[in-house]
């Protein structure tokens, strides 16, 4: 027989090691591997020195980039080792699975069919065909059975023959009761038919010793080749979509079964350790010691006190547990149990760290520069190199100083990617400290970003161009002032001037025809932050200033009418909008804006029928700005708490005035006494009705403020003593000190004439 079938598990160091040994003994002149034939042309890149697993083949439809599929490979994947062996020996290597273009076309046709096949026992077995064998051998799951029988096997001389016999028996058992009318069964028949067709073609091409590497489940049906007529009939007339293939970096996290990957393994990091040790020729005992040493280093980095004695005792316990279980040597389960018992004293919590850092791992592969890429992918790669911002599979904190050109452009890059739906960086908020020139980011690269980049290529060939076109399209499709303001904010932060121009025009147009004051109030804070923050990023905000001027004027004119006849729910919403506008006006720090806003608040305060919640807030804001004197605010406070007023309205006025203002109540004797006397006059029933409103108000105070108020009430203090102001300053003596103070501060002293 000119071809030899090797049934493997898709990711396993034992299978990979045994396969390399078998290929070296066989010396084939052609290798066929289960995989997408469309990727044959880029297989030579696997031998490139820049190619570092884990990596994946990405197959996608250029006209429909959302149709994509990945074929991941780790260094210990048998298929990867077969590819590397073929390239090193300079023998032909081909993929033989059903072309992805056929699968895409069939999936597209099936999307119109709403009914889906119900899962059944046979289908479950097909997804995990080793479950029956593991159960028969007394194992809880197929992962543990395969690891013990194959991955940890030392003598692999008869391994593939044993796998073939086991899979033959299993398929005979399962196929007897398997329904033949399911989509899964039909797809499997097509795949295996194409594999056999590829083997026949290799025979026709004159190869004498063909090695066929496939999943263990397919091995029995590829061992002998039936007549080609039936397979050709199955494959005839299959629809097909145009596809493109490339290599992309992958991660150990995406190789794990926890990620949802159907062919994943529980512990990719552990398997990588097994493979590296087998390559280095390390025997099993040092393998355990090396692993536990890495475990100890990981815990030490997190501040746990792990000594060499811990490692020794952990090895001994793992070997003892393995012996009790009639195992020739400890496996991962025994090592984990020993680590938790000896190093962690039974505490399972740090094992989560071990799982993330070592058992799964944070490895991120790399691909050669020559790998086929879309223009947008090429632009991102160039920007990453230019800005020295390397992707990583582990979380990394990034603090950017926007006064530095490199950090500023890094911020632009991360924000442009966010606009394209690629959240490589999350955060981008102002970092702690003075000024607005620092941003805090948290970066984590995900393999699926590759397909999102391909999809984003629809908008342009560079990140700036793509983000600009996407924003402009979104701006044309929305009429929300708040959304337009937010998009303008994002475009300015991402340094997209063309998008800013369009968004400012859209904002101005929508603001000019908008009759809803609430929408204007919602949009203003975002634009105010834009004006305040734009100069730090060295971008022009003249257009923003023009739009903001018009919006402030329209808000001030229309707000009194918008506040008429509001119920409690509407008044609460308007309360938040008024507070947001107040913060925006403070942020803008413009005298004309402040004057307009103060006059508007004055008009609201004197407006008949204004909801008492808003009246209290207007009085509070005017007091804070100095437009209303303390005596006047106390007078209005007293009028609001008059016994002639409804208690519920009085409570709402207090809520509007005092919300988030605990310090004012603590240190203002007049306000404290007014509230104290008012509460004392309330009856029990009225007090119970008002208690929720009062509690809501006092809940906005900080814990120290509430504690200080409680102490004063407990001690029976009416108010804190007020220190009378004194004016006994000696002006001549103070002026004598000015030159020294000016010298310290580096200021120029201007003496009064």
């Amino acid at each position: 027989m000119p071809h030899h079938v090797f049934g493997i598990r898709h990711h396993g160091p034992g299978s990979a090691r045994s396969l390399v040994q078998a290929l070296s003994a066989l010396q084939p002149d052609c290798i066929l591997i289960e995989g997408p034939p469309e990727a044959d042309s880029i297989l030579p890149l696997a031998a490139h020195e820049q190619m570092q697993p884990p990596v994946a083949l990405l197959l996608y439809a250029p006209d429909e980039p959302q149709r994509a599929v990945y074929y991941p490979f780790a260094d210990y994947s048998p298929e990867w080792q077969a590819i590397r062996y073929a390239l090193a020996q300079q023998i032909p290597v081909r993929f033989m699975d059903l072309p992805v273009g056929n699968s895409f076309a069939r999936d597209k046709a099936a999307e119109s069919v709403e009914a889906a096949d119900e899962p059944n026992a046979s289908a479950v077995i097909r997804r995990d065909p080793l479950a029956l064998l593991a159960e028969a051998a007394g194992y809880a799951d197929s992962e543990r059975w395969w690891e013990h029988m194959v991955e940890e096997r030392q003598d692999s001389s008869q391994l593939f023959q044993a796998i073939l016999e086991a899979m033959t028996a299993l398929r005979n058992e399962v196929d007897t009761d398997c329904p033949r009318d399911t989509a899964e069964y039909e797809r499997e028949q097509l795949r295996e038919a194409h594999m056999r067709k590829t083997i026949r073609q290799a025979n026709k091409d004159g190869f004498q010793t063909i090695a066929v590497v496939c999943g263990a489940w397919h091995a029995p049906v590829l061992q002998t080749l039936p007549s080609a007529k039936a397979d050709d009939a199955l494959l005839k007339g299959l629809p097909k979509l145009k596809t493109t293939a490339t290599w992309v970096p992958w991660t150990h996290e995406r190789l794990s079964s926890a990620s949802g990957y159907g062919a994943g393994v529980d512990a990719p990091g552990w398997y990588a350790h097994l493979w590296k040790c087998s390559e280095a020729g390390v025997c099993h005992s040092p393998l355990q010691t090396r692993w536990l040493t890495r475990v100890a280093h990981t815990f030490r980095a997190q501040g746990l006190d792990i000594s060499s004695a811990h490692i020794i005792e952990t090895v001994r316990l793992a070997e003892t547990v393995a012996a009790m279980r009639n195992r020739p040597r400890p496996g991962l389960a025994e090592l984990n149990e020993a680590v938790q018992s000896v190093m962690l004293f039974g505490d399972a919590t740090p094992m989560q760290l071990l799982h993330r850092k070592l058992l799964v791992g944070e490895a991120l592969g790399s691909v050669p520069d020559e790998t086929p890429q879309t223009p947008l992918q090429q632009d991102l790669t160039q920007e990453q190199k230019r800005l020295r911002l390397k992707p990583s599979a582990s979380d990394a904190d990034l603090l950017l100083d926007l006064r530095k050109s490199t950090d500023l452009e890094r911020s632009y890059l991360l924000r442009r990617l966010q606009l394209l739906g690629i959240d490589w960086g999350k955060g981008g908020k102002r970092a702690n400290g003075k000024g607005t020139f620092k941003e805090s980011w948290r970066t984590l690269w995900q393999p699926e970003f590759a397909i999102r980049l391909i999809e984003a290529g629809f908008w342009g060939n560079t990140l700036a161009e793509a983000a600009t076109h996407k924003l402009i399209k979104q701006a044309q499709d929305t009429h929300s002032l708040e959304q337009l303001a937010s998009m303008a904010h994002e475009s300015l932060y991402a340094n997209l001037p063309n998008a800013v121009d369009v968004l400012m025009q859209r904002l101005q147009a929508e603001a000019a025809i908008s009759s809803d004051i609430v929408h204007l109030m919602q949009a203003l804070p975002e634009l105010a932050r834009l004006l305040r923050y734009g100069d730090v990023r060295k971008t022009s905000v003249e257009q923003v200033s023009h739009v903001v001027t018009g919006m402030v004027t329209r808000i001030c004119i229309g707000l009194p009418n918008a506040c008429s006849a509001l119920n409690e729910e509407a008044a609460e919403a308007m309360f938040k909008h008024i507070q947001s506008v107040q913060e925006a006006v403070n942020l803008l720090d413009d005298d004309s804006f402040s004057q307009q806003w103060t006059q508007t608040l004055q008009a609201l305060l004197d407006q008949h029928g204004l909801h008492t919640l808003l009246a209290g807030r207007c009085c509070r804001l005017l007091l804070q700005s100095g437009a209303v004197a303390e005596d006047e605010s106390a007078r209005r406070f007293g009028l609001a708490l008059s016994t002639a007023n409804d208690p519920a309205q009085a409570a709402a006025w207090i809520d509007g005035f005092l919300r988030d203002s605990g310090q004012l109540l603590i240190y203002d004797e007049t306000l404290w006494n007014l509230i104290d006397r008012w509460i004392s006059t309330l009856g029990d029933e009225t007090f119970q009705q008002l208690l929720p409103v009062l509690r809501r108000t006092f809940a906005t105070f900080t814990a120290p403020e509430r504690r200080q108020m409680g102490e004063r009430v407990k001690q029976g203090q009416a108010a804190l003593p007020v220190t009378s102001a004194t004016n006994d300053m000696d002006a001549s003596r103070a002026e004598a000190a000015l030159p020294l103070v000016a010298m310290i501060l580096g200021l120029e002293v201007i003496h009064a004439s």
Side-chain angles (χ1 to χ4, degrees), residues 392-404:
S392 172
S394 58
D395 289 338
D397 292 322
L398 186 64
L399 184 63
L400 301 180
D401 186 339
L402 301 182
R403 297 170 299 181
K404 300 177 180 179

Side-chain angles (χ1 to χ4, degrees), residues 298-304 348-362:
T298 301
F299 286 147
R300 287 173 185 169
Q302 300 301 317
L304 296 179
T349 303
M351 292 298 293
Q352 299 177 7
L353 172 69
L354 178 64
H355 183 269
R356 180 167 59 90
K357 292 286 188 179
L358 284 185
L359 295 182
V360 172
E362 298 176 336

Side-chain angles (χ1 to χ4, degrees), residues 302-325:
Q302 300 301 317
L304 296 179
D305 188 13
I306 307 295
S307 67
S308 300
H310 283 96
I311 300 175
I312 296 171
E313 292 302 321
T314 303
V315 172
R316 290 174 177 172
L317 179 58
E319 291 176 344
T320 301
V321 173
M324 294 176 62
R325 294 174 177 172

Side-chain angles (χ1 to χ4, degrees), residues 524-586:
L524 182 62
E526 194 73 37
L527 292 176
R529 285 191 291 271
L530 240 173
L531 272 176
R532 186 69 171 179
Y533 202 49
D535 56 347
V536 178
R537 294 177 170 272
K538 304 175 183 178
T539 50
S540 174
V541 291
E542 294 180 0
Q543 296 170 293
V544 183
S545 178
H546 182 68
V547 174
V548 166
T549 300
M551 291 179 66
V552 170
T553 301
R554 295 191 61 193
I555 289 171
C556 291
I557 294 174
L559 184 58
N561 186 54
C563 291
S564 300
L566 299 180
N567 58 21
E568 289 188 15
E569 183 178 355
E572 182 65 34
M574 184 59 71
F575 177 94
K576 296 177 181 177
H577 295 322
I578 289 176
Q579 186 63 37
S580 296
V581 173
Q582 175 68 47
E583 294 171 359
V585 170
N586 292 340

Side-chain angles (χ1 to χ4, degrees), residues 308-536:
S308 300
H310 283 96
I311 300 175
I312 296 171
E313 292 302 321
T314 303
V315 172
R316 290 174 177 172
L317 179 58
E319 291 176 344
T320 301
V321 173
M324 294 176 62
R325 294 174 177 172
N326 294 321
R327 294 282 313 282
R329 59 186 61 86
L332 182 59
E334 289 74 26
L335 291 173
N336 284 343
E337 292 170 8
V339 166
Q340 183 174 338
S341 298
V342 177
M343 294 185 181
L344 304 178
F345 302 97
D347 187 2
T349 303
M351 292 298 293
Q352 299 177 7
L353 172 69
L354 178 64
H355 183 269
R356 180 167 59 90
K357 292 286 188 179
L358 284 185
L359 295 182
V360 172
E362 298 176 336
L364 174 66
S366 61
V367 299
D369 296 335
E370 294 84 350
T371 303
Q373 291 182 321
T374 63
L376 194 61
Q377 289 175 309
Q378 294 174 1
D379 184 57
L380 175 59
T381 301
Q382 292 171 0
E383 288 297 291
Q384 288 171 336
K385 290 182 178 179
R386 184 176 68 86
L387 299 175
R388 300 186 300 279
L389 202 57
K390 186 178 180 180
S392 172
S394 58
D395 289 338
D397 292 322
L398 186 64
L399 184 63
L400 301 180
D401 186 339
L402 301 182
R403 297 170 299 181
K404 300 177 180 179
S405 60
T406 299
D407 282 0
L408 183 60
E409 293 190 35
R410 287 175 175 176
S411 176
Y412 292 156
L413 173 63
L414 294 174
R415 291 184 181 277
R416 289 169 182 174
L417 288 172
Q418 282 185 332
L419 291 172
L420 295 173
I422 302 170
D423 294 331
W424 179 19
K426 294 184 178 180
K429 298 180 180 179
R430 172 184 168 185
N432 294 331
K434 296 182 179 179
T436 58
F437 52 81
K438 287 187 178 180
E439 283 183 350
S440 177
W441 291 85
R442 192 166 185 82
T443 59
L444 176 64
W445 184 262
Q446 301 286 359
E448 59 267 24
F449 291 163
I451 193 63
R452 294 184 191 174
L453 271 173
I454 294 171
E455 293 174 350
F458 168 80
W459 299 106
N461 292 333
T462 67
L463 293 174
E465 180 184 343
T468 297
H469 290 165
K470 185 176 181 180
L471 273 175
I472 290 175
K473 175 60 177 175
Q474 291 175 340
Q476 293 170 346
D477 294 339
T478 185
H479 300 280
S480 168
L481 283 170
E482 187 177 12
Q483 291 182 11
L484 287 171
S486 177
M487 291 162 61
H489 201 169
E490 293 170 351
S491 62
L492 189 60
Y493 282 19
N495 192 26
L496 303 173
N498 292 336
V500 173
D501 292 342
V502 174
L503 284 162
M504 288 301 104
Q505 294 171 10
R506 291 284 298 121
L507 262 173
Q508 191 168 1
E510 291 296 329
I513 63 175
S514 176
S515 59
D516 194 335
I517 298 300
V518 171
H519 287 168
L520 294 173
M521 297 175 76
Q522 290 173 335
L524 182 62
E526 194 73 37
L527 292 176
R529 285 191 291 271
L530 240 173
L531 272 176
R532 186 69 171 179
Y533 202 49
D535 56 347
V536 178

